[in-house]
Amino acid sequence: MKTILVTGGASNLGSALCRAFVKRGDRVICTYSHNRFGAENLQSELGDHLVIAEMDVLSQESVTNLFQSLSSLDVLVNNSGVFTVAEQEKLPVEDWDKVFDTNVKGMFLVTQKAIPLLRKSGEGAIINIASINAFHPGFGGTAHYDASKGAVVSYTKSLAAELGPYIRVNAVAPGLLDAPSLHDDTNPIKTVFENRASLKRLVQAHEVADCVLFLSSATAITAETVVVDCGYSVG
Ligand SMILES: NC(=O)c1ccc[n+]([C@@H]2O[C@H](COP(=O)([O-])OP(=O)(O)OC[C@H]3O[C@@H](n4cnc5c(N)ncnc54)[C@H](OP(=O)(O)O)[C@@H]3O)[C@@H](O)[C@H]2O)c1
């Protein structure tokens, strides 16, 4: 049984990741920063194989506290991330900082603490959640988010070079994930994505989780970013 840490595991993609690892028989530590309610619900659903813990990736102290409670780790999934929309001309600098501090610096803070445990594992793996927006300008107003996810892709590659041969590092870049909010008729993004994607549909969170699970045990794959976007980027 492997020990898996999923950051921001209490909602959407994070909870799909937790479900998939628990189903495989792993022991999962699901961290939350604000969504304690979601984490507790997920724990009730998944039982003893899921442990929940608070961790704010914006706080070095909070990250340190979480790792003080861990004695082993085989797989780290850096899933926590934030998304805001504004044209660059109008983007508050606080938004730029929040997106980069969460999506990039937060990933570094967690990774730094995880490295000794992952090295000890002997089959350690890191999977970073990037986005199709690292490669595609998206729907507009997301240049700061897109740049942060581009940084995740570069970070993944460099980290893989640095941490081999004992730790593999890969990323997954999802396209637009299906969510109840997208089914509101006033939201045009769903249709724009579906029309452009070769498969003419949104990505389901469990499909991204399947890819993360594969990478967690794909022993010859490192330094890769796998795009899971229903063919959006070729449309
Ligand atoms: N939705 C999409 O279409 C899409 C597409 C491509 C990539 N992604 C990426 O997929 C990942 C998951 O996103 P999602 O769609 O599932 O959205 P989400 O439900 O908003 O999940 C984001 C997660 O990040 C956590 N988080 C935010 N700030 C944090 C902080 N300061 N410290 C620790 N955790 C923090 C949240 O935890 P709390 O709620 O507990 O604060 C939440 O669990 C993100 O990296 C996102 O960029 C999403």
Side-chain angles (χ1 to χ4, degrees), residues 99-229:
V99 166
F100 267 76
D101 285 353
T102 311
N103 298 3
V104 186
K105 185 179 172 189
M107 184 173 280
F108 152 69
L109 290 176
V110 176
T111 299
Q112 187 177 52
K113 290 290 177 198
I115 288 170
L117 293 175
L118 292 171
R119 202 177 272 129
K120 217 167 66 180
S121 152
E123 44 188 20
I126 299 173
I127 298 110
N128 297 324
I129 302 301
S131 167
I132 190 60
N133 286 43
F135 308 108
H136 187 280
F139 306 111
T142 57
H144 53 303
Y145 174 80
D146 303 354
S148 77
K149 292 300 188 177
V152 170
V153 172
S154 312
Y155 185 57
T156 299
K157 225 176 234 305
S158 296
L159 207 54
E162 186 176 313
L163 299 182
Y166 301 110
I167 304 173
R168 294 180 303 104
V169 189
N170 292 292
V172 175
L176 187 63
L177 295 173
D178 199 0
S181 59
L182 296 176
H183 293 267
D184 174 349
D185 285 344
T186 61
N187 191 337
I189 291 176
K190 175 176 180 286
T191 312
V192 173
F193 188 92
E194 286 173 342
N195 286 344
R196 189 182 163 124
S198 294
L199 302 185
K200 301 293 169 212
R201 65 175 177 84
L202 301 176
V203 179
Q204 301 298 317
H206 72 84
E207 296 173 310
V208 179
D210 286 347
C211 183
V212 171
L213 242 73
F214 166 71
L215 288 173
S216 75
S217 54
T219 47
I221 301 180
T222 193
E224 290 299 325
T225 296
V226 181
V227 171
V228 181
D229 72 343

Side-chain angles (χ1 to χ4, degrees), residues 23-188:
K23 194 171 165 197
R24 188 171 80 175
D26 295 316
R27 171 178 172 264
V28 178
I29 300 142
C30 160
T31 73
Y32 63 90
S33 59
H34 305 96
N35 191 4
R36 186 187 179 96
F37 179 71
E40 286 174 350
N41 278 346
L42 195 63
Q43 191 178 38
S44 309
E45 177 192 328
L46 296 176
D48 290 347
H49 282 291
L50 187 90
V51 175
I52 60 169
E54 190 173 355
M55 180 176 68
D56 179 355
V57 302
L58 294 173
S59 155
Q60 202 170 354
E61 189 188 353
S62 173
V63 173
T64 301
N65 287 344
L66 186 275
F67 277 90
Q68 274 167 355
S69 69
L70 294 189
S71 56
S72 69
L73 185 65
D74 301 298
V75 178
L76 165 65
V77 186
N78 279 312
N79 170 69
S80 286
V82 290
F83 174 81
T84 69
V85 180
E87 289 169 13
Q88 292 299 291
E89 242 183 303
K90 297 176 188 156
L91 182 78
V93 72
E94 293 76 17
D95 269 34
W96 176 280
D97 286 344
K98 186 173 182 190
V99 166
F100 267 76
D101 285 353
T102 311
N103 298 3
V104 186
K105 185 179 172 189
M107 184 173 280
F108 152 69
L109 290 176
V110 176
T111 299
Q112 187 177 52
K113 290 290 177 198
I115 288 170
L117 293 175
L118 292 171
R119 202 177 272 129
K120 217 167 66 180
S121 152
E123 44 188 20
I126 299 173
I127 298 110
N128 297 324
I129 302 301
S131 167
I132 190 60
N133 286 43
F135 308 108
H136 187 280
F139 306 111
T142 57
H144 53 303
Y145 174 80
D146 303 354
S148 77
K149 292 300 188 177
V152 170
V153 172
S154 312
Y155 185 57
T156 299
K157 225 176 234 305
S158 296
L159 207 54
E162 186 176 313
L163 299 182
Y166 301 110
I167 304 173
R168 294 180 303 104
V169 189
N170 292 292
V172 175
L176 187 63
L177 295 173
D178 199 0
S181 59
L182 296 176
H183 293 267
D184 174 349
D185 285 344
T186 61
N187 191 337

